[in-house]
Amino acid sequence: MMSGGYTSIDNQKVSGSVPAVSDSGRVAVQFADSGLQTFPPSGVQGKISGGTLPPSDADDSFSRPAGGSSSGSDEPQASGWLHKFTVAAYKPYFDVDTTDVLDRLKESLYPFRGTFTEKTATNPDLYGPFWICTTLIFVAASIGTFVTYVAHKLRDKEWNYDINLVTWSAGVFYGYVTVVPLVLYVILKYFSAPSGLVQLFCLYGYSLFIFIPALCLSVVPLEIFRWIIAAVAGFMSATFVALNLKAHITSAGERWVLIVAGIFLLQLGLAVVLKLYLFTVSV
């Protein structure tokens, strides 16, 4: 039937809805259990537990974060021996507060205790040694300059500032606390009595603290008094180093006496050098 261009469908011939498909032929599909495992695995397999922790013998001496937490940055970090040439590798050796430094300075003024290495074994620092050497350089230069200036003015003589005093003292102090611990580290390793290299740097750095008040007292214009001050400072510094290393060196056998004697005499030699070039004021 046509009406207005449209074709109508006879309602008698069309059912009201599409008949539903009979479910008599429905097939139940069963899925087998998945063989996938969760990550990280919860169980212990082999020698690696959970696959998330490093081996127990991993060397993390240069990989521990200073604050104990991750910074969350995506910056690539050096690994292996290259990490030793980064600033982050040495941050733990500067992680000390004022109380720690003051306690170690006081410990260096009591050389007969011999407990410095024991107290700093777990946390040796390079902060104190660096600033002790830096302070010694400027104290030596300033005191030497002041004393010579006053002496020349009192005698109406011309005075000229000697810049070599700064460079020479910098080479002596920085060089001594760097070269001597390195050589001693090799010697102790050869005699199977190894000690931590950073701990040796820490010990020798704090051993020089006694020379700061000694330099300040050298302004007294008495030569015999300056020799006494240099001798006392050298003896205290040498005793401090020798007694603190004695416990480690005794394992080297009978040679430990020679090693301790050499350490003691070398520290006394430093005091003599300082007396001749820093404690002596020439006018």
Side-chain angles (χ1 to χ4, degrees), residues 227 230 267-277:
W227 272 109
Q267 202 79 357
L268 284 181
L270 174 65
V272 174
V273 171
L274 295 180
K275 167 63 184 71
L276 295 176
Y277 290 93

Side-chain angles (χ1 to χ4, degrees), residues 121-207:
T122 59
N123 186 29
D125 72 285
L126 299 178
Y127 179 88
F130 172 77
W131 284 110
I132 289 173
C133 292
T134 305
T135 304
L136 275 171
I137 294 170
F138 286 98
V139 167
S142 60
I143 288 180
T145 301
F146 174 76
V147 172
T148 54
Y149 173 79
V150 173
H152 281 77
K153 288 300 180 180
L154 292 176
R155 299 185 182 185
D156 293 330
K157 292 184 178 181
E158 184 180 359
W159 175 82
N160 294 316
Y161 177 72
D162 187 9
I163 189 62
N164 294 325
L165 186 62
V166 177
T167 57
W168 186 90
S169 57
V172 169
F173 293 123
Y174 284 143
Y176 186 83
V177 298
T178 302
V179 176
V180 174
L182 280 173
V183 174
L184 182 59
Y185 175 78
V186 175
I187 294 175
L188 294 179
K189 200 172 186 64
Y190 174 79
F191 287 108
S192 300
S195 181
L197 181 59
V198 177
Q199 193 169 10
L200 290 177
F201 286 142
C202 180
L203 176 65
Y204 270 88
Y206 281 98
S207 70

Side-chain angles (χ1 to χ4, degrees), residues 34-68:
S34 174
L36 298 177
Q37 297 180 356
T38 59
F39 184 84
S42 57
V44 177
Q45 299 180 0
K47 295 183 178 180
I48 301 179
S49 176
T52 58
L53 297 177
S56 59
D57 58 345
D59 183 11
D60 61 347
S61 57
F62 287 97
S63 60
R64 288 174 294 185

Side-chain angles (χ1 to χ4, degrees), residues 71-144:
S71 59
S73 61
D74 296 332
E75 298 179 358
Q77 296 184 358
S79 59
W81 64 272
L82 290 176
H83 188 56
K84 298 181 180 180
F85 295 94
T86 62
V87 176
Y90 301 95
K91 286 177 62 178
Y93 303 120
F94 291 84
D95 187 17
V96 290
D97 53 21
T98 305
T99 303
D100 295 330
V101 176
L102 290 177
D103 289 341
R104 297 175 184 189
L105 292 177
K106 293 177 183 178
E107 190 74 19
S108 67
L109 297 177
Y110 297 93
F112 296 100
R113 291 179 178 177
T115 57
F116 182 85
T117 53
E118 180 181 352
K119 292 181 178 180
T120 60
T122 59
N123 186 29
D125 72 285
L126 299 178
Y127 179 88
F130 172 77
W131 284 110
I132 289 173
C133 292
T134 305
T135 304
L136 275 171
I137 294 170
F138 286 98
V139 167
S142 60
I143 288 180

